[in-house]
């Protein structure tokens, strides 16, 4: 099984982290990346597409085409001197843009602002420029496109460019996004959550997060167990058999543990809206007949063979659930004993200090 990195995963939900003006929202996912909300770029006419994009991702100042005198003292003989300073700054910016264009790119993404003059130069050269992308998003974009974040441009041969097959502008609902598809890493995809209320979106995001966490654990620990309550019934049967052979009060605790394990199939059936008592009794009878791969098939509302249906769960997650439940029950019992313990008798102190 190939290793899969879950690090660059994020989720777009409607109205989340809304930003204003020229701020770009950048987010990367486990086939495409979306850059959205009010992105100021030189993408050109609406619907313009860039195929086989070579992307230079940078974190450099592109806003020095206007002189900055705030907090500074500049003494000149005439206004012509100020114009000369501005012209010199403009020439420096032009040289910087020319160095960037020598990389052979058709898309430039910068962490910082891009002022009007360099933006015009990029547009004249047919290069799409995206400004003010958030720093975490730039790192994710560099990761999935196979590029590196650059801040100097004197040696184009040393700069690693990012690549993707297609860049286009898309509309999702009322949001305008720039869509990157066919990235080099092949591990990115956009997940868009939509719902009637914020509560539905939050629940969907939590469910998706849980599913991705289970997938990550399964990649690390590839062993799986049968789902549909099959594993719990197997464990309950083993504990009950051991309790029948165990003398003393320990057998009562073991039977209670087995009963708790049998609650999992009951909860599964109840959540699906079926008769849990009927289904769990059928499942228990099947396991008594040594049909150890049987569980609950909630698609049909009946008992089925989990091996034939291909219903499995992560062994690592199942083990952690079992350990956490046992530890929580033990902690509750310990606290309960402390609460019920008789208070210590107070005795007079015959040895005062």
């Amino acid at each position: 099984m190939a290793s899969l990195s879950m690090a660059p995963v994020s989720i777009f939900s409607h109205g989340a982290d809304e930003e204003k003006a020229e701020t770009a929202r950048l987010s990367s996912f486990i086939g495409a990346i979306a850059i959205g909300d009010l992105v100021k770029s030189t993408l050109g006419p609406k619907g313009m597409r860039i195929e086989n994009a070579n992307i230079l991702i940078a974190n450099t100042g592109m806003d020095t085409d206007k002189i900055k005198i705030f907090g500074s003292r500049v003494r000149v003989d005439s206004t012509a001197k100020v114009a000369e300073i501005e012209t010199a700054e403009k020439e420096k910016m032009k040289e910087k843009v020319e160095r960037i264009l020598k990389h052979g790119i058709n898309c430039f993404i910068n962490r910082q602002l891009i002022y009007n003059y360099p933006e015009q130069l990029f547009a004249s050269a047919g290069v799409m420029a995206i400004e003010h992308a958030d720093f975490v998003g730039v790192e994710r974009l560099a990761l999935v496109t196979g590029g590196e974040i650059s801040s100097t441009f004197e040696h184009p041969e040393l700069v690693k460019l990012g690549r993707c097959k297609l860049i286009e502008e898309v509309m999702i609902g009322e949001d305008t996004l720039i869509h990157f598809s066919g990235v080099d890493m092949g591990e990115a995809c956009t997940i868009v959550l939509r719902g009637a209320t914020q509560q539905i979106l939050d629940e969907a995001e939590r469910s998706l997060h849980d599913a991705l966490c289970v997938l990550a654990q399964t990649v690390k620990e590839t062993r799986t167990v049968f789902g549909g309550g099959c594993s719990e019934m197997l464990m309950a049967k083993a504990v009950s058999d051991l309790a029948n052979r165990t003398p003393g009060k320990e057998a009562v605790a073991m039977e209670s543990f087995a009963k708790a394990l049998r609650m999992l199939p009951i909860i599964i059936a109840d959540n699906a809206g079926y008769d849990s008592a009927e289904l769990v009794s059928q499942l228990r009878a099947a396991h008594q007949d040594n049909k150890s791969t049987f569980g609950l098939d909630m698609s049909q509302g009946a008992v089925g063979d989990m091996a034939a249906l291909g219903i499995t769960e992560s062994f690592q997650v199942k083990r952690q659930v079992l350990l956490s439940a046992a530890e929580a029950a033990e902690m509750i019992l310990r606290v309960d004993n402390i609460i019920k313990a008789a208070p210590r008798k107070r005795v007079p102190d015959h040895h005062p200090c």
Side-chain angles (χ1 to χ4, degrees), residues 84-97:
E84 290 178 6
I85 296 174
E86 290 183 347
T87 303
E89 289 287 339
K90 205 171 184 179
E91 288 299 319
K92 285 175 59 179
M93 180 55 62
K94 185 177 181 180
E95 293 174 2
K96 188 173 187 178
V97 171

Side-chain angles (χ1 to χ4, degrees), residues 335-344:
V335 172
D336 193 44
N337 286 337
I338 294 173
I339 293 174
K340 288 183 178 180
R344 187 181 61 181

Side-chain angles (χ1 to χ4, degrees), residues 27-331:
S27 191
S28 60
F29 302 92
I30 299 233
I33 301 172
I35 302 179
D37 242 12
L38 302 173
V39 177
K40 181 181 179 183
S41 70
T42 58
L43 186 61
K46 185 174 180 63
M48 179 179 175
R49 294 158 57 94
I50 296 181
E51 298 182 356
N52 299 320
N54 294 324
I55 307 167
L56 177 60
I57 305 168
N59 183 17
T60 184
M62 302 294 292
D63 55 352
T64 56
D65 60 318
K66 296 181 180 179
I67 184 170
K68 298 178 181 179
I69 61 174
F70 300 106
S72 303
R73 299 180 64 185
V74 180
R75 295 182 180 181
V76 295
D77 304 44
S78 63
T79 55
K81 296 289 186 179
V82 178
E84 290 178 6
I85 296 174
E86 290 183 347
T87 303
E89 289 287 339
K90 205 171 184 179
E91 288 299 319
K92 285 175 59 179
M93 180 55 62
K94 185 177 181 180
E95 293 174 2
K96 188 173 187 178
V97 171
E98 289 175 350
R99 290 198 302 269
I100 293 174
L101 294 176
K102 287 180 181 179
H103 290 73
I105 61 173
N106 53 9
C107 180
F108 177 70
I109 300 177
N110 191 30
R111 168 68 183 88
Q112 303 180 38
L113 292 173
I114 302 177
Y115 270 19
N116 295 334
Y117 180 63
E119 191 176 83
Q120 294 171 4
L121 296 177
F122 284 124
S124 300
V127 175
M128 181 178 71
I130 300 174
E131 65 171 0
H132 211 181
D134 67 90
F135 189 74
V136 175
V138 167
E139 289 185 332
R140 291 173 174 168
L141 182 61
L143 175 65
V144 296
T145 57
E148 294 178 351
I149 301 175
S150 305
S151 56
T152 57
F153 314 100
E154 285 76 13
H155 303 283
E157 68 279 1
L158 301 179
V159 177
K160 189 176 180 181
L161 301 178
R163 289 177 174 81
C164 71
K165 294 181 180 179
L166 178 65
I167 302 177
E168 61 182 341
E169 189 177 36
V170 297
M171 288 286 295
I172 299 178
E174 299 178 354
D175 297 328
T176 301
L177 307 175
I178 298 176
H179 185 255
F180 289 59
S181 60
V183 294
D184 274 0
M185 295 294 290
E187 296 180 354
C189 70
T190 300
I191 304 174
V192 180
L193 300 180
R194 305 182 72 179
T197 64
Q198 186 62 39
Q199 289 76 13
I200 294 176
L201 285 174
D202 293 340
E203 186 63 29
E205 183 173 352
R206 282 192 295 269
S207 299
L208 184 58
H209 179 269
D210 293 343
L212 292 174
C213 290
V214 172
L215 179 58
Q217 292 298 326
T218 307
V219 170
K220 296 177 183 178
E221 173 58 77
T222 57
R223 288 182 293 175
T224 58
V225 295
F226 291 123
C230 175
S231 302
E232 286 80 9
M233 292 301 293
L234 279 173
M235 290 185 287
K237 183 175 180 295
V239 174
S240 294
D241 292 343
L242 182 59
N244 293 334
R245 302 192 302 268
T246 302
K249 293 182 179 180
E250 290 83 358
V252 178
M254 296 168 70
E255 282 291 348
S256 298
F257 193 89
K259 183 179 179 181
L261 289 171
R262 294 191 190 97
M263 288 299 298
L264 270 296
I266 295 175
I267 294 172
I268 293 174
D270 286 339
N271 289 341
Y274 294 109
D275 186 355
S276 59
E278 177 67 21
L279 288 177
V280 173
S281 63
Q282 293 179 12
L283 180 59
R284 188 171 182 177
H287 279 265
Q288 291 296 329
D289 293 339
N290 294 324
K291 296 178 181 179
S292 58
T293 60
F294 271 48
L296 299 180
D297 180 8
M298 293 294 93
S299 297
Q300 303 297 326
V303 175
D305 189 351
M306 299 294 102
L309 295 172
I311 300 176
T312 59
E313 296 183 54
S314 170
F315 168 76
Q316 180 73 13
V317 174
K318 183 68 69 176
R319 181 176 64 179
Q320 188 60 44
V321 167
L322 189 62
L323 292 176
S324 299
E327 290 174 357
E330 184 179 353
M331 181 182 65

